[in-house]
Amino acid sequence: MKAITLKNFGGPEIMQIESVDNPEPGPNQVRVKVMATSVNRADIIQRQGNYPPPKGESKILGLEVAGVIDSLGSDVNDWTAGDRVMGLVAGGGYAEYALMYAGHLIPIPIDMDYTTAAAISETYITAFLNIYLIGDLMAGETALLHGGGGGVNTAAIQLCRTLTPKANLIVTASPRKIDRVAALGVDRVVNYRQQDFASEVRSFTRNHGADLILDHIGADYLSSNLKALAVGGRLLVIGVTSGAVATINLAHLMVKRQRIFGSVIRARSVDEKAQITAEFRDRVMPHIIERKIEPIIHHIYPLEAASEAHREMENSCHFGKIVLAVQ
């Protein structure tokens, strides 16, 4: 099969397409003929050498796939060859064939194409897990979402507007993305290059603060996040693009009864990811099937142009998801 491989770590130019052996499914896995996958920030970090796959998982980039089941493991009984499926993988998406655990499969809606399906699993499940399964956002609360027009953030906005329409949403964005973010129905957009988001949150909420913050920036935002966070608020850290080490005033954390959660999906056990996927299928997929939630796709590249797709994401020119068409 064709796959994007890494001979070493570095810039987008190190990604090459070559022929490798087809993967063989284990007892609880299926092999999927990949029709489309997507580019996620984690792919870039892995390409740079800073995010290795879990032990035993494919070293090929790609954390989600959409395609057709090609082969079944010996213990798989609920799926058949030819089923159209999408879902999370711990690696292997940038290839013509990938392995998926049966418990991580989501059926692709009958009227959905593969490129749309490839733009769902990683970002929407990440947002759903953190905002709802961990953060438990409720109606009437205020959420601060960092990330402007990124895939996770646009997914998070749509989820909040659908699952908790009475929650208040504040989003940080760069100047060129402010109007598009506002059009998604948020209550306040903060230009993070010109405004102090903690002050803006305090002003908007009449000094209450944000009850929930979803952050992928990490170290550089920690102090301001805690200033913006309400008493009893929850800070969900899902990335550390600015660094992983920061200092914290534990006394203030204690007095305000604030909680900080660190969260990733990739390193979770197979069973944990199956449970998260099942919750997502039950609570979110009906809204996607009814098109109350529709993924925003910025651009579709062929697999062979993965380097160009990575460059576009690194330049932060995208709004929504960048998809790779494989077949």
Side-chain angles (χ1 to χ4, degrees):
M1 68 174 184
K2 291 189 301 181
I4 297 291
T5 60
L6 302 177
K7 298 300 183 184
N8 47 51
F9 301 118
E13 69 280 354
I14 69 169
M15 295 190 293
Q16 298 181 357
I17 191 161
E18 64 177 4
S19 180
V20 299
D21 292 337
N22 286 0
E24 294 299 326
N28 297 312
Q29 294 178 313
V30 302
R31 184 171 65 202
V32 174
K33 182 179 181 180
V34 181
M35 306 303 291
T37 183
S38 72
V39 178
N40 291 287
R41 186 68 60 176
D43 301 334
I44 292 173
I45 299 172
Q46 180 178 337
R47 190 204 71 220
Q48 294 169 337
N50 298 316
Y51 193 28
K55 185 177 179 180
E57 300 291 351
S58 174
K59 295 181 179 180
I60 295 171
L61 298 176
L63 298 180
E64 62 188 317
V65 299
V68 181
I69 293 178
D70 166 77
S71 179
L72 303 171
S74 58
D75 294 341
V76 178
N77 301 309
D78 297 334
W79 301 90
T80 61
D83 286 345
R84 292 179 357 117
V85 295
M86 61 184 181
L88 297 171
V89 293
Y94 289 22
E96 291 183 310
Y97 292 89
L99 299 182
M100 299 182 68
Y101 286 96
H104 302 169
L105 298 173
I106 300 172
I108 297 176
I110 192 169
D111 59 347
M112 181 178 289
D113 58 48
Y114 292 109
T115 51
T116 301
I120 292 175
S121 300
E122 177 68 15
T123 51
Y124 284 88
I125 292 178
T126 295
F128 173 69
L129 165 66
N130 288 285
I131 295 174
Y132 292 100
L133 299 188
I134 300 175
D136 194 26
L137 181 67
M138 306 293 288
E141 291 190 317
T142 296
L144 169 62
L145 310 176
H146 294 300
V152 171
N153 199 59
T154 54
I157 293 169
Q158 292 178 319
L159 287 173
C160 291
R161 277 291 159 253
T162 303
L163 300 182
T164 46
K166 293 185 179 180
N168 303 304
L169 296 185
I170 305 172
V171 177
T172 58
S174 62
R176 62 185 172 183
K177 298 181 181 180
I178 286 177
D179 290 343
R180 294 192 68 181
V181 170
L184 294 177
V186 305
D187 298 288
R188 178 78 170 87
V189 185
V190 178
N191 179 346
Y192 68 82
R193 292 182 180 171
Q194 298 177 2
Q195 298 171 296
D196 176 68
F197 70 79
S199 297
E200 294 296 322
V201 169
R202 286 288 170 184
S203 174
F204 179 84
T205 61
R206 298 182 181 180
N207 211 39
H208 173 81
D211 300 287
L212 181 147
I213 300 176
L214 184 66
D215 175 55
H216 69 282
I217 305 298
D220 286 356
Y221 271 20
L222 179 60
S223 177
S224 293
N225 276 334
L226 294 179
K227 290 177 182 177
L229 198 61
V231 172
R234 294 88 73 197
L235 169 60
L236 288 300
V237 181
I238 61 171
V240 288
T241 58
S242 71
V245 179
T247 58
I248 183 172
N249 188 323
L250 294 176
H252 287 175
L253 193 75
M254 293 162 60
V255 169
K256 293 186 176 181
R257 304 185 302 281
Q258 295 169 332
R259 289 166 283 173
I260 303 175
F261 299 87
S263 176
V264 295
I265 293 180
R266 190 181 195 185
R268 293 173 184 265
S269 70
V270 172
D271 288 342
E272 278 186 290
K273 284 188 272 191
Q275 293 171 3
I276 294 166
T277 299
E279 289 269 8
F280 181 81
R281 285 180 59 174
D282 290 344
R283 294 175 58 180
V284 179
M285 282 305 298
H287 299 291
I288 293 176
I289 291 170
E290 295 172 8
R291 296 191 175 182
K292 294 178 181 177
I293 296 174
E294 294 191 70
I296 299 171
I297 296 178
H298 174 77
H299 194 87
I300 301 171
Y301 289 93
L303 181 64
E304 293 81 359
S307 295
E308 185 177 350
H310 273 224
R311 289 189 187 96
E312 182 156 28
M313 175 167 280
E314 288 182 284
N315 290 333
S316 294
C317 295
H318 62 296
F319 192 91
K321 290 285 285 186
I322 298 174
V323 174
L324 299 177
V326 178
Q327 303 285 353

